[in-house]
Amino acid sequence: MNRSLSVALKYGLFIAGSLIAYFLILRLFNLHDKPWLRLANGLFMAAGIYFAIKYYKYKFNADFTYVDGFKTGLLTGFIATGCFIVFMAVYMFHLDKGFPETILKSWFDNTERGGGILILIILMEGLASTAVLTLTWMQIFKKSQHLGQQEHFSENKPKNKTKN
């Protein structure tokens, strides 16, 4: 678990930093209240989880299992989501208190739900995308069960001995 956590922490913080930087760039151009621009968040998450699993497999190839890659991907996404939620909570509740109402009025008739609903939505989006992306990327990185595609098949293949 420590190996997965060390890789996940590195890449999770990188993803969170990318998400925060992207949000602040959008804020700089006053585009932060356009919900459709959040689609790019998925690209940051997808790339970060992909490279986290790829790095883990590269670093620990001999010991790489599906479970290790899956844990690394999930931890990476959870760390990134958690850090981004903390940032967004600070932003919405302390820096720009009108932001939740601006976003909520395009989604709901009653905008008095507050920023908490936005935090919950970001959490659900982050966790769901993490699970889906991790499952997707692990299809690429898993070791195949097919005999012709195994990475170490030739090393494990028994020698044929013929009797004379």
Side-chain angles (χ1 to χ4, degrees):
M1 182 68 170
N2 287 339
R3 295 187 306 187
S4 292
L5 185 59
S6 67
V7 171
L9 192 58
K10 174 182 171 183
Y11 283 89
L13 292 175
F14 179 75
I15 295 168
S18 300
L19 292 172
I20 292 167
Y22 176 65
F23 179 81
L24 292 176
I25 290 169
L26 290 177
R27 175 68 179 105
L28 183 66
F29 293 105
N30 207 24
L31 297 171
H32 67 297
D33 57 351
K34 308 289 187 245
W36 55 273
L37 288 173
R38 285 194 353 249
L39 292 175
N41 291 358
L43 297 176
F44 289 115
M45 188 71 82
I49 290 173
Y50 173 84
F51 287 114
I53 296 170
K54 183 177 180 177
Y55 178 77
Y56 185 90
K57 184 174 182 178
Y58 170 76
K59 191 167 183 179
F60 306 108
N61 191 26
D63 297 329
F64 183 80
T65 65
Y66 188 90
V67 173
D68 290 332
F70 192 74
K71 280 193 303 190
T72 302
L74 286 181
L75 286 171
T76 300
F78 293 168
I79 290 168
T81 300
C83 292
F84 187 64
I85 284 176
V86 169
F87 166 77
M88 288 304 294
V90 169
Y91 180 81
M92 287 190 295
F93 295 122
H94 298 290
L95 301 176
D96 188 0
K97 294 180 181 181
F99 177 69
E101 185 177 324
T102 304
I103 295 293
L104 290 174
K105 74 179 175 183
S106 65
W107 291 351
F108 302 111
D109 293 332
N110 180 7
T111 60
E112 306 216 359
R113 300 180 198 281
I117 191 78
L118 288 178
I119 296 296
L120 181 64
I121 290 169
I122 294 169
L123 175 67
M124 290 183 338
E125 286 176 351
L127 298 181
S129 65
T130 295
V132 169
L133 290 167
T134 299
L135 287 168
T136 302
W137 293 136
M138 282 309 298
Q139 297 309 305
I140 294 171
F141 291 114
K142 71 179 180 180
K143 292 181 181 178
S144 177
Q145 298 298 320
H146 299 292
L147 294 179
Q149 297 176 356
Q150 285 182 351
E151 294 176 359
H152 302 290
F153 176 73
S154 60
E155 296 172 5
N156 298 331
K157 185 176 179 182
K159 307 284 185 207
N160 288 337
K161 295 184 180 180
T162 57
K163 295 181 182 180
N164 292 347

